[in-house]
Amino acid sequence: MKKIVFLVSFLFSFAMQAQQAVHIIPEPVNLELKTGSFLLDASTSISYKAKDKSVETTILFFKEYIKRITGTALQINTKKTKNIRFEIQKTNEIGDEGYLLNVNPNEILITANTPKGLFYGVQSLIQTLPLTRTNRIAEIPCMQIKDYPRFQWRGLMLDTSRHFFPADMVKEFIDLLSLYKMNVFHWHLVDGAGWRLEIKKYPKLTQQAAWRIDDTGKPWNWSGIQFSDDFTKSIYGGFYTQEEVKDIVDYAKVRNITIIPEIEMPGHTEALLAAYPELSCNGKVHFGNGGTFLASTVDGSFCAGNDKAFDFLQDVLTEVMALFPSKYIHIGGDEVDKTNWKNCPKCQARMKSEGLKNEEELQSYFVKRIEKFIVSKNRKMIGWDEILEGGLAPEAIVMSWRGEAGGIEAAKMGHDVIMTPATPLYFDYYQGDSENEPQAFGGFNTLKRIYNYDPIPKELNADQAKHILGSQANLWTEYITTREQVEYMILPRMLALSEVVWSPKEKRNWNDFSQKLKPHLASFEQKGFRYSKGNFKVDINAERIKGTITVSLSSENNDGTIYYSTDGSFPNIGSKKYEKPFEINGTTTVRAILVVDNKTMVSKPAEQRFTFNKATGKDVKYEKLYSKNYQGTGNNSLTDGFKGTKNHYLYWHGFEGDDVVATVDLGTLTDISSISIGTIQNFNNWMFMPKWVKFEISVDGINFKEVETILNPVPTNVTEVMLNDITTNFAKQKAKVIRVTAKNIGVCPEGSPGAGKPAWLFVDEITVE
């Protein structure tokens, strides 16, 4: 295992001459380089007023870093030729976390209103120092900086339930956050996959709920997950002792990181209820072979009609609040399966006694009752945006992950909000072309998409926007099992987010950020961190104008050259060099690669198929409309000529639990002999091919004749992402209108991540020949 390197050993910058540019991330509010430099050597001392005891931690932090990098042990409050001075001094405009940094040849002065501001001034100063130990004089360019954050909430979440990471890895995570002026570590400690926190009153949480049958390195599978207290078996898991948590909290405090613990309720509790099944609706104990607890046979939600469940949670939260001094406690509240509540006598009795109309209001009752307890302890409650359902608790803070809609609604109601939409802020999503990346959950959240995100939705006015506390990214760990994978998924995307939440919007510039990023990546290389070297995927964009498709190619990487082919071949340096958009007038496959320094950056080229057929450009009508989250290129996405790829966010129409009935009017009676429709299966994202597809034709648009019904040949348990065109071929017939019906399988099958939930059916191009 790679040795943990504390922040003082990997904070970095670049040895530079006085006139060289600095590469501080996130970009300061104002930075002005001056002539000359400050030479940090043995004639330098650190000074601060003796009464400012609150700044000692930051000074010692900085002193230790300087010794590690230069070998120089700086003296404190000792008269020397040159001085690095720290001052707490009332300063307008910079707030609690801002700072002023002034460097001249004889003195460095860091001024702030609070010790937090001094710490962030130190972080910026450190980014102008050498990368690794030099045992020589460090040269710092003369400059003036005024800096302060745009948002008060700048965070990143780590899921340690689905896969467990030891305490030293958590500290490394905190170090990285701190380096880039992030200030919130959202710690997802418990979930259905495992309980990770010692609770002394309930020892079975760590004796049983923290351990499951070993699945290390295997694809994630919710169905049939097993928990065991039989340590003679091959089991996987772990937990943090309360002493470890106290140490981590103290470690974070030094680095200006607030830890927000998340204790999931009322759902995502399979692991907990495997240990304490009496808190579920059926209250049954389920045993497998050899002391194994089967979560798949245990309720996934607390019984909302059982007062003992609330007593249990209050006991747990009491111990949690004793460990975590944060004023915020996260209670989850997402994806609650209410099926058992509908059939539970206690839950139904609770609804009757409280005058609740439905199970959504029962969830609201549950959340409000927990919030009342949390508020009684002078804390504030945070929940995922599902806590809006059935009525929002009075003082609740909403964490908006299902897009921004929940956050917008909460802000308009006067509630504080943290924006964390899955697109683009789920860091478990792919950051480059899935064909060339390690397995991820899905999606496509590239560095540039994150950098271009703004946490303030345009739907909010100025007063409502004040309720947006900030933003955070989330790293769920279904497919992340190692320290190296964690590093790879957050680096360098976390740096892009840091500039989103710290820097003024008008100061952000993608091209400038891309250049600043390069030496930071070099530092990760030297320190042995695994990081993404960039998204080298070529984006193939197209626009249909009448009968012609215009294709443009682009890449997030500004240092490369794009080469492409349209003849079916795989492109190389000898292929066409992309210089401007080009037109295609017939069925074509465009492939493209990015070349940097004469090196092809991907193993597989980007590929997009375009089709011209008798349905191309024709109008499509649906019996039931597609999801607003998957609209493709618009209502006629099925006939736009752009064939769907494995990226289901492009070109596809998605239907949650519903069948597809699509009608295409060809305009005139037309001779046809073939109809097909594109489908996709993405097992991990709850997307399955249809049970069957029925093709029909009509000469008048009223009376339809079935041509053929084709059963889906792809089993639902195929886990790799797969595309399939389902096609019927027949003797030539005349038709004016064609109708394609694709049958949704209904619910996700057992063994899939979404088992029992509505299945998604995605369709794309309908072709008629």
Side-chain angles (χ1 to χ4, degrees):
M1 183 178 69
K2 184 175 67 181
K3 185 180 179 181
I4 181 71
V5 183
F6 287 177
L7 179 61
V8 291
S9 70
F10 67 76
L11 292 174
F12 61 87
S13 176
F14 327 102
M16 59 178 66
Q17 300 300 315
Q19 300 307 310
Q20 287 183 294
V22 296
H23 300 83
I24 296 173
I25 295 178
E27 180 70 22
V29 172
N30 185 271
L31 186 156
E32 184 179 355
L33 285 174
K34 303 287 187 179
T35 302
S37 61
F38 180 97
L39 302 180
L40 197 157
D41 54 23
S43 66
T44 305
S45 69
I46 297 173
S47 70
Y48 72 103
K49 293 180 181 179
K51 64 180 180 180
D52 288 340
K53 296 293 184 182
S54 57
V55 307
E56 284 184 353
T57 300
T58 294
I59 288 173
L60 293 174
F61 179 90
F62 178 67
K63 181 174 184 269
E64 182 180 357
Y65 175 76
I66 295 301
K67 185 175 181 180
R68 287 173 179 262
I69 290 298
T70 69
T72 300
L74 297 179
Q75 300 298 308
I76 297 177
N77 287 336
T78 301
K79 190 172 183 180
K80 293 276 187 176
T81 306
K82 290 173 294 187
N83 193 31
I84 301 175
R85 187 154 53 98
F86 294 80
E87 284 192 2
I88 296 289
Q89 180 178 306
K90 180 63 177 177
T91 305
N92 294 328
E93 299 181 7
I94 62 173
D96 287 344
E97 295 183 291
Y99 64 92
L100 302 176
L101 173 61
N102 291 281
V103 181
N104 65 51
N106 297 312
E107 182 182 65
I108 296 175
L109 173 62
I110 304 177
T111 306
N113 290 318
T114 69
K116 289 182 180 180
L118 293 181
F119 182 82
Y120 293 130
V122 164
Q123 296 289 53
S124 290
L125 183 61
I126 282 174
Q127 288 196 33
T128 67
L129 292 171
L131 168 63
T132 55
R133 187 181 179 101
T134 62
N135 289 327
R136 63 178 176 79
I137 296 172
E139 191 171 5
I140 302 169
C142 291
M143 58 185 162
Q144 287 186 334
I145 294 178
K146 180 170 79 171
D147 200 14
Y148 50 87
R150 182 184 177 198
F151 293 102
Q152 62 177 285
W153 189 288
R154 308 180 300 279
L156 188 55
M157 185 276 285
L158 177 64
D159 167 20
T160 57
S161 173
R162 288 168 178 82
H163 284 100
F164 177 74
F165 302 96
D168 67 336
M169 169 60 208
V170 175
K171 287 182 175 180
E172 178 187 296
F173 195 84
I174 289 169
D175 283 335
L176 287 167
L177 286 173
S178 174
L179 172 58
Y180 294 102
K181 301 186 177 76
M182 307 290 273
N183 66 346
V184 174
F185 169 39
H186 174 176
W187 198 352
H188 192 79
L189 283 159
V190 304
D191 208 303
W195 185 280
R196 305 296 178 212
L197 177 63
E198 179 188 20
I199 300 295
K200 294 187 181 296
K201 190 167 184 177
Y202 299 106
K204 287 194 291 183
L205 290 174
T206 46
Q207 292 170 355
Q208 296 173 1
W211 306 96
R212 64 179 186 250
I213 300 301
D214 187 14
D215 69 344
T216 304
K218 297 178 182 178
W220 184 254
N221 186 343
W222 270 109
S223 181
I225 184 172
Q226 301 177 2
F227 297 89
S228 178
D229 59 354
D230 183 357
F231 286 82
T232 66
K233 296 180 178 297
S234 177
I235 60 175
Y236 174 86
F239 63 92
Y240 306 98
T241 67
Q242 292 199 1
E243 289 307 308
E244 283 180 309
V245 169
K246 291 175 184 176
D247 177 59
I248 291 170
V249 168
D250 289 342
Y251 188 86
K253 183 179 179 181
V254 172
R255 290 150 180 80
N256 274 357
I257 300 290
T258 298
I259 300 181
I260 309 297
E262 181 181 356
I263 306 298
E264 279 272 18
M265 62 183 84
H268 283 274
T269 56
E270 289 87 349
L272 182 156
L273 295 177
Y276 293 95
E278 64 271 19
L279 303 177
S280 67
C281 286
N282 61 39
K284 295 179 181 178
V285 180
H286 298 274
F287 292 99
N289 297 325
T292 296
F293 299 82
L294 301 177
S296 60
T297 58
V298 177
D299 295 347
S301 302
F302 281 103
C303 176
N306 184 352
D307 283 334
K308 290 183 179 180
F310 291 97
D311 293 340
F312 177 93
L313 285 169
Q314 289 179 10
D315 291 339
V316 168
L317 288 172
T318 297
E319 291 196 36
V320 168
M321 287 186 276
L323 294 171
F324 296 94
S326 163
K327 68 178 180 179
Y328 300 107
I329 302 295
H330 202 305
I331 58 95
D334 61 311
E335 298 178 327
V336 180
D337 185 350
K338 306 177 182 71
T339 304
N340 289 316
W341 289 359
K342 294 178 181 179
N343 303 312
C344 172
K346 289 182 180 179
C347 288
Q348 293 303 308
R350 177 82 74 192
M351 289 171 60
K352 184 176 180 180
S353 66
E354 296 293 334
L356 307 176
K357 297 179 184 137
N358 50 44
E359 283 71 26
E360 284 68 33
E361 289 191 4
L362 180 59
Q363 177 175 342
S364 178
Y365 164 84
F366 191 110
V367 171
K368 288 175 180 176
R369 183 165 169 174
I370 292 296
E371 188 205 38
K372 185 176 180 180
F373 175 76
I374 291 173
V375 170
S376 75
K377 303 299 181 182
N378 297 315
R379 307 294 182 97
K380 291 187 176 183
M381 185 192 77
I382 300 174
W384 300 107
D385 57 53
E386 284 94 332
I387 66 173
L388 284 157
E389 298 170 4
L392 189 56
E395 299 180 41
I397 297 168
V398 172
M399 192 167 274
S400 188
W401 73 276
R402 296 179 299 175
E404 294 183 330
I408 292 168
E409 180 183 350
K412 288 182 176 180
M413 294 167 61
H415 285 258
D416 288 341
V417 171
I418 299 138
M419 283 298 188
T420 180
T423 302
L425 295 182
Y426 269 28
F427 280 9
D428 54 322
Y429 283 14
Y430 286 103
Q431 55 194 314
D433 187 356
S434 60
E435 297 287 343
N436 298 285
E437 285 283 311
Q439 184 178 17
F441 188 83
F444 192 54
N445 289 339
T446 68
L447 186 69
K448 188 174 184 179
R449 291 184 181 185
I450 292 161
Y451 190 81
N452 287 338
Y453 177 65
D454 186 68
I456 304 292
K458 62 182 182 300
E459 292 87 348
L460 300 182
N461 62 36
D463 287 337
Q464 294 164 345
K466 292 176 183 177
H467 288 290
I468 306 299
L469 301 182
S471 191
Q472 73 173 44
N474 300 315
L475 184 64
W476 304 101
T477 58
E478 283 92 339
Y479 298 98
I480 300 171
T481 62
T482 67
R483 177 197 305 268
E484 290 75 19
Q485 286 176 292
V486 169
E487 293 167 358
Y488 185 83
M489 298 306 277
I490 68 172
L491 298 176
R493 289 190 286 189
M494 185 185 70
L495 282 67
L497 179 60
S498 77
E499 203 145 293
V500 168
V501 291
W502 179 282
S503 305
K505 185 177 180 180
E506 63 273 12
K507 294 279 290 187
R508 282 160 47 198
N509 180 285
W510 167 251
N511 291 332
D512 291 346
F513 175 78
S514 298
Q515 293 304 310
K516 283 193 306 180
L517 185 62
K518 292 178 182 179
H520 291 256
L521 298 182
S523 78
F524 297 149
E525 189 78 36
Q526 290 198 25
K527 294 301 180 184
F529 288 109
R530 190 176 179 219
Y531 66 95
S532 172
K533 293 179 172 59
N535 171 30
F536 299 108
K537 180 179 183 293
V538 176
D539 291 323
I540 303 175
N541 302 300
E543 181 181 13
R544 172 177 290 281
I545 301 176
K546 295 183 179 180
T548 300
I549 292 177
T550 300
V551 179
S552 60
L553 309 178
S554 62
S555 170
E556 288 187 6
N557 190 293
N558 296 326
D559 297 325
T561 302
I562 297 173
Y563 294 90
Y564 71 99
S565 67
T566 56
D567 58 2
S569 64
F570 285 84
N572 54 46
I573 295 178
S575 301
K576 297 175 185 176
K577 179 180 177 181
Y578 178 73
E579 295 176 338
K580 63 181 181 180
F582 56 92
E583 294 182 349
I584 57 175
N585 299 291
T587 298
T588 305
T589 297
V590 176
R591 295 189 176 100
I593 58 171
L594 184 73
V595 174
V596 179
D597 296 330
N598 291 318
K599 180 181 178 182
T600 300
M601 303 306 296
V602 294
S603 59
K604 295 181 180 179
E607 180 177 306
Q608 178 63 56
R609 291 185 294 158
F610 299 97
T611 177
F612 287 76
N613 62 85
K614 294 179 179 181
T616 303
K618 306 301 183 183
D619 288 337
V620 181
K621 291 183 179 179
Y622 285 110
E623 282 194 5
K624 190 163 187 178
L625 205 59
Y626 42 84
S627 166
K628 65 181 181 180
N629 295 320
Y630 301 101
Q631 301 187 55
T633 59
N635 197 66
N636 293 332
S637 193
L638 294 193
T639 57
D640 59 8
F642 311 155
K643 293 284 288 183
T645 67
K646 290 183 179 180
N647 180 1
H648 61 276
Y649 292 95
L650 292 175
Y651 308 136
W652 295 91
H653 279 168
F655 298 78
E656 185 181 18
D658 293 324
D659 301 334
V660 176
V661 183
T663 303
V664 180
D665 192 333
L666 302 179
T668 60
L669 278 175
T670 305
D671 289 330
I672 65 172
S673 58
S674 174
I675 310 171
S676 72
I677 187 169
T679 61
I680 182 173
Q681 181 150 310
N682 189 328
F683 181 86
N684 296 321
N685 280 344
W686 306 14
M687 297 158 49
F688 297 89
M689 292 185 184
K691 282 185 179 179
W692 47 258
V693 175
K694 180 167 66 174
F695 298 96
E696 299 171 281
I697 61 175
S698 172
V699 296
D700 57 10
I702 299 173
N703 302 296
F704 284 85
K705 178 177 68 173
E706 180 179 340
V707 175
E708 186 178 11
T709 295
I710 300 177
L711 298 178
N712 170 38
V714 179
T716 57
N717 62 356
V718 173
T719 59
E720 65 179 296
V721 180
M722 179 177 291
L723 303 177
N724 185 38
D725 287 340
I726 298 176
T727 305
T728 179
N729 295 298
F730 49 90
K732 185 183 295 184
Q733 299 186 49
K734 289 189 179 293
K736 179 179 180 292
V737 180
I738 64 110
R739 184 164 66 194
V740 181
T741 302
K743 183 66 176 177
N744 195 309
I745 67 169
V747 296
C748 298
E750 283 297 314
S752 70
K757 301 293 179 62
W760 282 88
L761 172 58
F762 278 71
V763 294
D764 182 39
E765 204 69 14
I766 290 177
T767 62
V768 178
E769 302 288 3

